[in-house]
Amino acid sequence: MSNIIKYKNIVLKYIKESNIHSLQEISNRVVITISQSKDCELRQKIKQEIEALDSQKKVNIVFVQEKKETANVSDKWQIKGVKNIIAVSSAKGGVGKSTTSVNLALSLANQGVSVALFDADIYGPSIPKMLGYENVPPISYDGKVFEPFMECGIKSMSIGSMLKDDTALIWRGAKACGAIEQLLTQTNWGDIDIMVIDMPPGTGDIQITMSQKINFSGALIVSTPQDIALIDAVKGINLFNKIGVNVLGVVENMSYYICEKCGARADIFGHGGAMEMAEKYNVDFLGAIPLHYDIRVNSDSGTPVVLSLPESLHSKAYEGISCKIIEKLK
């Protein structure tokens, strides 16, 4: 057994392997870097054991702790009247994040809490179509503050209501963030228990700015079971962890398909990937949403499935997730 392995085995008696940043043998020194806050007692124990094993070695132990990127409270966007804000993120497009946001918001409202839904997917806003107010401009009674749309029992706002369907926003990050801030802070939300924010896909400038500027109560990660989607979902988890936003859990969308004719189940995008990812990164798995024709059709027609088919299997799946979220926010 090499000396490095012997030294590592000693360190592993006291800390997890994931916390060993590096372990090097340089001449007559052993240099160990540990990713955690400084612990003098732990340092002394490891040093004594290694030096007892090899009296010719001098041991240097360095503790490092990554500093979370946080914004000052005074720098936060002031969203009046809203008690809890949760981000629904995928860090990737095409996994049903917006559909999940809409149905989750409606399911939360069904639990008796006041809910708002904000569409921050500024380059591809789809909330107006899903809630049935597409091409209807917002109202402002004083020319300063917008009145939110009240559809399907929830309040909502989206820049999509101000654009034609074929209009492409060619905005850089700063301008896009400015528009999001204006819509969020200059809308008359009233008293809201939970605001759901449909985040834009990716982990770029807009997502970082929003995560730093908004007092999120937590974030929800949406992914399909497919490996290529899970890779990006992990990036989303790491983004929120780095900035200091609590990850409430993971939802596996398009989890499986049940044939309506024969009842056979098909795992079109794989199975259980999001659950395994959640376990690996120590976050909760909140539930699985099936791939179903009714979810797509009702989303396109402005009658989300939770509203139009409340007793369906898919609506019950959203209900289970919303109940878990409410418990976590308590």
Side-chain angles (χ1 to χ4, degrees):
M1 184 183 293
S2 69
N3 287 338
I4 286 290
I5 294 176
K6 292 178 181 178
Y7 303 150
K8 185 176 181 180
N9 286 339
I10 291 173
V11 178
L12 287 173
K13 290 166 61 177
Y14 299 99
I15 66 168
K16 296 179 181 178
E17 185 171 8
S18 58
N19 284 5
I20 302 175
H21 189 273
S22 66
L23 197 160
Q24 302 174 72
E25 187 176 15
I26 305 171
S27 186
N28 68 331
R29 290 188 175 274
V30 178
V31 181
I32 306 167
T33 306
I34 299 174
S35 298
Q36 68 174 59
S37 56
K38 186 176 179 181
D39 187 330
C40 295
E41 185 178 346
L42 174 63
R43 173 189 284 162
Q44 192 62 28
K45 288 179 179 178
I46 295 173
K47 281 187 66 173
Q48 287 177 349
E49 282 208 41
I50 293 178
E51 290 174 355
L53 180 69
D54 189 343
S55 60
Q56 302 301 312
K57 295 294 182 182
K58 296 295 182 182
V59 181
N60 293 101
I61 300 175
V62 180
F63 292 97
V64 295
Q65 190 169 24
E66 187 175 23
K67 185 178 180 181
K68 292 182 177 179
E69 299 177 18
T70 57
N72 294 327
V73 173
S74 59
D75 292 335
K76 297 282 189 178
W77 294 344
Q78 302 303 309
I79 307 170
K80 296 179 180 178
V82 180
K83 296 176 184 176
N84 294 284
I85 305 174
I86 60 174
V88 178
S89 174
S90 64
K92 178 181 180 62
V95 299
K97 170 182 57 62
S98 296
T99 302
T100 301
S101 297
V102 170
N103 283 291
L104 179 61
L106 292 173
S107 186
L108 286 167
N110 287 341
Q111 309 305 315
V113 297
S114 57
V115 177
L117 174 62
F118 183 79
D119 189 357
D121 194 348
I122 199 161
Y123 297 117
S126 52
I127 300 302
K129 184 176 181 65
M130 291 185 183
L131 289 181
Y133 59 88
E134 192 176 17
N135 299 321
V136 179
I139 295 172
S140 175
Y141 295 118
D142 59 4
K144 298 178 182 179
V145 178
F146 292 111
E147 295 300 318
F149 292 91
M150 186 69 185
E151 300 291 339
C152 306
I154 61 174
K155 294 179 179 179
S156 67
M157 179 57 73
S158 170
I159 199 169
S161 63
M162 306 176 192
L163 305 171
K164 294 182 179 179
D165 290 344
D166 57 355
T167 301
L169 286 180
I170 309 173
W171 290 352
R172 295 188 185 275
K175 188 170 184 179
C177 288
I180 292 171
E181 179 185 6
Q182 183 178 2
L183 281 177
L184 264 174
T185 61
Q186 297 181 22
T187 294
N188 181 25
W189 295 110
D191 293 325
I192 297 296
D193 293 318
I194 302 174
M195 172 180 280
V196 176
I197 295 187
D198 179 18
M199 297 286 284
T203 55
D205 183 58
I206 298 175
Q207 294 83 354
I208 294 170
T209 299
M210 290 182 66
S211 298
Q212 291 176 326
K213 294 291 187 178
I214 297 173
N215 273 319
F216 282 117
S217 301
L220 188 74
I221 305 296
V222 179
S223 179
T224 64
Q226 192 177 7
D227 288 346
I228 197 68
L230 293 168
I231 291 170
D232 290 318
V234 169
K235 295 175 184 176
I237 291 174
N238 289 334
L239 167 69
F240 289 118
N241 283 339
K242 185 173 184 180
I243 293 177
V245 176
N246 179 41
V247 177
L248 297 172
V250 175
V251 172
E252 186 172 87
N253 197 33
M254 307 181 201
S255 182
Y256 55 89
Y257 172 72
I258 302 294
C259 178
E260 296 181 11
K261 293 184 178 180
C262 67
R265 171 171 170 154
D267 297 322
I268 296 174
F269 297 109
H271 177 65
M275 182 181 291
E276 292 174 8
M277 177 192 69
E279 184 176 352
K280 180 178 179 181
Y281 289 91
N282 197 31
V283 296
D284 289 339
F285 180 73
L286 299 179
I289 308 296
L291 176 67
H292 199 278
Y293 177 80
D294 286 339
I295 297 177
R296 195 274 300 171
V297 169
N298 284 282
S299 294
D300 287 348
S301 64
T303 56
V305 70
V306 166
L307 184 71
S308 56
L309 297 169
E311 298 304 318
S312 64
L313 174 66
H314 5 295
S315 295
K316 294 297 183 183
Y318 287 116
E319 180 183 330
I321 295 168
S322 67
C323 289
K324 290 177 182 177
I325 289 174
I326 290 173
E327 282 300 312
K328 284 177 172 288
L329 293 179
K330 287 179 180 178

